[in-house]
Amino acid sequence: MDKKLLEYISEKSQELINSSTCSNGAKSAAESWLKAVGTENEASETKNYFAELESDIMPIDSLINFAESDNGVNYFGADAAKSIAKHAREIKSSGAKYCDCPACAAAEAILQKKNDILK
């Protein structure tokens, strides 16, 4: 893997790990990938990492639907759920495809490099 690309993905992986919105699965996958870089396990851990990120990143419509649901209101609280749904609609209208929380933003940045990494 190209050194600059490796540095970029490593940096974004650290951002993901340090994010308060990062799921346990994504955090574990990021840590495993970082440990595997430069080893014989790198290729398999890279595939596992991308699979985890793809399953964890929140599509913007799913975020809106969740925030506007009873479960979303129970999870976030009524005011926060309303605010999150409003924000999500605003960023969707600007072209966002995913939630823009720190974890999703880092995951999206990493996933945008997927084809470059898997060459």
Side-chain angles (χ1 to χ4, degrees):
M1 181 183 317
D2 172 86
K3 183 179 178 184
K4 283 189 173 228
L5 182 57
L6 176 61
E7 289 173 1
Y8 178 81
I9 300 302
S10 296
E11 178 183 309
K12 291 299 177 184
S13 295
Q14 279 304 140
E15 287 178 21
L16 178 70
I17 290 166
N18 295 331
S19 168
S20 63
T21 56
C22 185
S23 72
N24 290 335
K27 183 176 183 174
S28 177
E31 291 170 339
S32 293
W33 179 80
L34 286 167
K35 288 177 187 171
V37 170
T39 72
E40 63 187 28
N41 297 325
E42 182 176 347
S44 64
E45 286 300 328
T46 299
K47 289 177 185 174
N48 292 340
Y49 189 25
F50 281 121
E52 183 66 35
L53 293 178
E54 288 169 342
S55 72
D56 281 10
I57 194 168
M58 176 72 72
I60 196 67
D61 287 330
S62 296
L63 176 60
I64 293 167
N65 291 336
F66 180 67
E68 292 178 339
S69 73
D70 290 340
N71 287 337
V73 170
N74 289 336
Y75 183 82
F76 295 120
D79 291 339
K82 184 177 179 181
S83 178
I84 290 167
K86 180 182 176 193
H87 172 73
R89 288 187 183 286
E90 289 170 356
I91 65 170
K92 180 182 177 182
S93 72
S94 298
K97 294 180 182 179
Y98 299 103
C99 170
D100 66 345
C101 76
C104 287
E108 183 176 16
I110 294 165
L111 289 170
Q112 287 175 348
K113 302 293 185 182
K114 180 179 178 180
N115 290 336
D116 296 331
I117 293 170
L118 295 178
K119 283 184 185 177

